[in-house]
Amino acid sequence: MPTVLRHISPLLLATLAACGSTKPDPAPSPMPGSPAPAPQVSGAPSAPAGGSGATGTMVGTAPAPARNRDRSTLSREEIRATQYTNLYDVIATLRGNWLRARAAESINGKSSTVQVYLDSQRLSGVEELRTMMAANVESIRYMDPIQASARWGMDHGAGAILVTTAKR
């Protein structure tokens, strides 16, 4: 056995010895040519014990407010937080890509526009949103061209915006 130990590198021996011991290992010395470890500042937040330090929380900070994870829906709270009076301005501010015209959908070069529905009743294009007041709107939902075409037909190549009002 002693001849086998002579051929094992000293680093491997130190690792094996550390695995078998129960006392804490002192901080390793830096390898030659490697940067020195950053000094620890007292009072600075550190990673939680046993964790990877990737939790993103710091001591003394408040959690971020909850956001709507569904990018295809605007809730009543999000609409009211903008302080705009018409729905066109609300959507242009929060989800501007819903309003843009899409590429030509046919051979003749006809460009499609986003269709607008108010409580499941078809109105017309996005200009109709300028006349709608944001005060009594419950939610606004954007349906992409595939969803809108599957629900209402092939003339929805740019998608649709569904406006749902609050029932009184």
Side-chain angles (χ1 to χ4, degrees), residues 86-130:
N86 70 54
L87 291 183
Y88 186 90
D89 292 338
V90 170
I91 295 171
T93 301
L94 298 176
R95 307 282 196 285
N97 61 331
W98 290 4
L99 301 173
R100 73 184 156 129
R102 306 301 195 265
E105 66 180 55
S106 68
I107 307 171
N108 63 8
K110 182 180 172 187
S111 178
S112 59
T113 60
V114 178
Q115 300 298 311
V116 176
Y117 287 80
L118 177 63
D119 292 327
S120 299
Q121 181 73 25
R122 185 174 179 172
L123 299 177
S124 64
V126 294
E127 290 302 315
E128 190 71 31
L129 294 169
R130 293 188 190 276

Side-chain angles (χ1 to χ4, degrees), residues 11-119:
L11 183 60
L12 183 59
L13 283 176
T15 305
L16 290 174
C19 291
S21 72
T22 57
K23 358 184 241 188
D25 195 23
S29 61
M31 298 293 289
S34 66
Q40 196 66 347
V41 178
S42 64
S46 61
S52 65
T55 59
T57 59
M58 291 182 59
V59 177
T61 59
R67 288 186 176 175
N68 185 358
R69 298 280 183 210
D70 184 10
R71 297 291 298 166
S72 65
T73 305
L74 287 173
S75 67
R76 170 182 241 163
E77 292 79 27
E78 290 175 299
I79 295 167
R80 296 231 172 129
T82 63
Q83 301 296 319
Y84 288 112
T85 56
N86 70 54
L87 291 183
Y88 186 90
D89 292 338
V90 170
I91 295 171
T93 301
L94 298 176
R95 307 282 196 285
N97 61 331
W98 290 4
L99 301 173
R100 73 184 156 129
R102 306 301 195 265
E105 66 180 55
S106 68
I107 307 171
N108 63 8
K110 182 180 172 187
S111 178
S112 59
T113 60
V114 178
Q115 300 298 311
V116 176
Y117 287 80
L118 177 63
D119 292 327

